[in-house]
Amino acid sequence: MIQKLKRISLLLLVGFLISAFFAVIWVKMPISVDVSEPDPAVVHANRLDKGVSYNSSYFEHDGRTLHYVEAGEGELVLFLHGFPSYWFSFIRQMDAFKDNYRVVAIDGLGAGKSDAPRDVEAYKLENMAAHLDALIDHLDGDKVHIVGHDWGSTFAFGFAQRYPDRVASVTGLSAPPQNVLLDLMQLDSSARQTSAYIERLKQANPLLIVAMGADKRVWTGAYEPLVKKGLLTGEEGDLFRKTTGKPKRIDAHINWYRANIPAFDAIKDSDFWPSRKARLTMPAQIIWGQDDRVFATDYAEATEKNADNIQMISLPGIGHWPHVESPEKVTRAIEKLISE
């Protein structure tokens, strides 16, 4: 009996070691992107809308490639998604604008069908902004209108601060500029409490994401409720579930936080991007839902103090996804700003 138990224990140990070996191999394998494979979200959007078609493209800069989706002609309106999401989160606004504007939505580095480098430095806002600036040149853009949500909002505001001559207007949804966010984290205890989840996110890794079921909670926490409320169709929800629920992609996307948000007590002047005192000088607006548990009104007030010409729009009964929960109001606000 003892010998049998020893054999069973040995087999279990060997099985564990083999599983651990392949798990390590899986983690270290680079995330591959098949550029020849159509984006299911593009296929879906074109099947439903028989008007101006969406096209999927790729743009390489400094050894890293971004996937982006575009449609229409005219002034360039650029959409930057948040975490955990991808370009398709702005499909309502793109549908509304593509008959009169050139709309472009990117998959941010690490997300969707864009490259997902393991080097955290690649996700520094300065590096991602240089890539975005090169993409605008590639698109023959002059001054562009930028719209961002969540991390995409932080990125959009920062890009507008860093490259003011490239930005005609900027709209941020549900997140402030990075320099405003860090300033509040450094000085305000309530902002630290609101942002405490960031430190927990930064400790993740692909194996832990799987073990904790975090990949499935992206669906149950973010997108399934939107489907249940009728704000996304079942097919749209399935697209989000399949695209945003990949553990290695989630881990890569978290690099946005690892690269740009230090621990609260470790924040120093050099962490502020593009600088601690950077301002928004072009027409701007910040939109947030009053039921948002991630966005605090202090963020909006602090952003207003760091802008020359900004509108503040809060939406009652709306949570963290204003462009999905109240697409018509958000679309009208964006169109009002970019047409002024």
Side-chain angles (χ1 to χ4, degrees):
M1 184 64 178
I2 293 176
Q3 290 299 321
K4 186 176 181 180
L5 289 174
K6 285 183 177 179
R7 286 197 297 272
I8 292 173
S9 297
L10 180 60
L11 288 172
L12 289 173
L13 177 60
V14 171
F16 172 78
L17 291 175
I18 291 173
S19 298
F21 172 76
F22 282 107
V24 171
I25 295 296
W26 172 70
V27 169
K28 290 187 176 182
M29 287 178 62
I31 298 174
S32 60
V33 178
D34 185 354
V35 299
S36 66
E37 181 181 345
D39 184 338
V42 172
V43 174
H44 170 80
N46 284 333
R47 186 174 70 249
L48 293 183
D49 191 324
K50 303 303 182 183
V52 178
S53 296
Y54 291 99
N55 296 300
S56 188
S57 301
Y58 295 84
F59 175 69
E60 186 271 336
H61 173 75
D62 199 21
R64 294 181 282 272
T65 299
L66 289 180
H67 170 246
Y68 66 94
V69 175
E70 66 173 321
E73 297 179 352
E75 290 184 72
L76 181 58
V77 185
L78 185 64
F79 296 91
L80 307 176
H81 65 81
F83 172 88
S85 197
Y86 72 125
W87 77 267
F88 192 62
S89 67
F90 277 109
I91 191 62
R92 302 285 188 268
Q93 286 69 42
M94 296 177 77
D95 278 345
F97 286 123
K98 67 186 176 70
D99 288 335
N100 299 303
Y101 296 90
R102 186 182 186 187
V103 294
V104 175
I106 72 166
D107 281 333
L109 199 65
K113 290 172 70 69
S114 287
D115 280 350
R118 296 183 65 191
D119 179 15
V120 174
E121 281 294 309
Y123 300 84
K124 283 281 191 182
L125 282 167
E126 177 66 27
N127 295 328
M128 293 199 300
H131 198 159
L132 186 61
D133 185 52
L135 173 61
I136 293 171
D137 281 338
H138 172 72
L139 296 170
D140 296 322
D142 182 15
K143 281 202 167 187
V144 302
H145 303 281
I146 301 187
V147 182
H149 170 246
D150 186 77
W151 244 115
S153 174
T154 296
F155 188 13
F157 281 138
F159 184 87
Q161 292 167 332
R162 175 67 176 81
Y163 297 94
D165 293 338
R166 304 301 310 258
V167 180
S169 74
V170 57
T171 296
L173 306 171
S174 309
Q178 192 252 18
N179 64 337
V180 168
L181 181 62
L182 290 190
D183 191 57
L184 286 172
M185 285 179 173
Q186 197 173 44
L187 303 173
D188 189 285
S189 59
S190 63
R192 291 189 178 204
Q193 186 174 359
T194 302
S195 305
Y197 72 95
I198 293 176
E199 283 304 306
R200 295 192 295 272
L201 274 178
K202 288 160 59 178
Q203 304 308 311
N205 61 62
L207 293 178
L208 188 60
I209 288 169
V210 173
M212 300 296 290
D215 50 334
K216 296 178 177 60
R217 286 205 296 274
V218 169
W219 162 250
T220 59
Y223 298 106
E224 187 178 37
L226 296 174
V227 173
K228 288 182 176 179
K229 292 178 181 177
L231 298 168
L232 294 175
T233 67
E235 189 171 0
E236 288 172 333
D238 198 46
L239 289 169
F240 279 109
R241 181 179 59 80
K242 290 178 178 178
T243 303
T244 65
K246 300 173 183 178
K248 291 171 70 173
R249 282 283 181 184
I250 294 171
D251 183 64
H253 209 169
I254 292 172
N255 282 330
W256 289 35
Y257 295 92
R258 297 184 182 113
N260 300 292
I261 307 294
F264 300 148
D265 294 328
I267 297 172
K268 54 188 183 299
D269 281 351
S270 59
D271 294 318
F272 289 78
W273 186 82
S275 70
R276 182 188 284 270
K277 300 297 184 182
R279 296 180 61 82
L280 296 167
T281 57
M282 68 293 299
Q285 64 185 343
I286 185 166
I287 305 172
W288 73 99
Q290 293 180 7
D291 293 347
D292 192 342
R293 292 180 294 176
V294 177
F295 184 88
T297 54
D298 289 349
Y299 295 161
E301 293 168 359
T303 302
E304 185 177 25
K305 293 177 182 177
N306 285 271
D308 296 341
N309 179 16
I310 191 167
Q311 302 175 46
M312 321 295 285
I313 302 174
S314 65
L315 301 175
I318 299 299
H320 190 62
W321 299 81
H323 54 311
V324 179
E325 298 176 69
S326 187
E328 295 84 4
K329 288 183 179 179
V330 170
T331 298
R332 285 198 299 271
I334 296 170
E335 183 156 30
K336 183 175 183 294
L337 183 70
I338 66 180
S339 62
E340 289 180 349

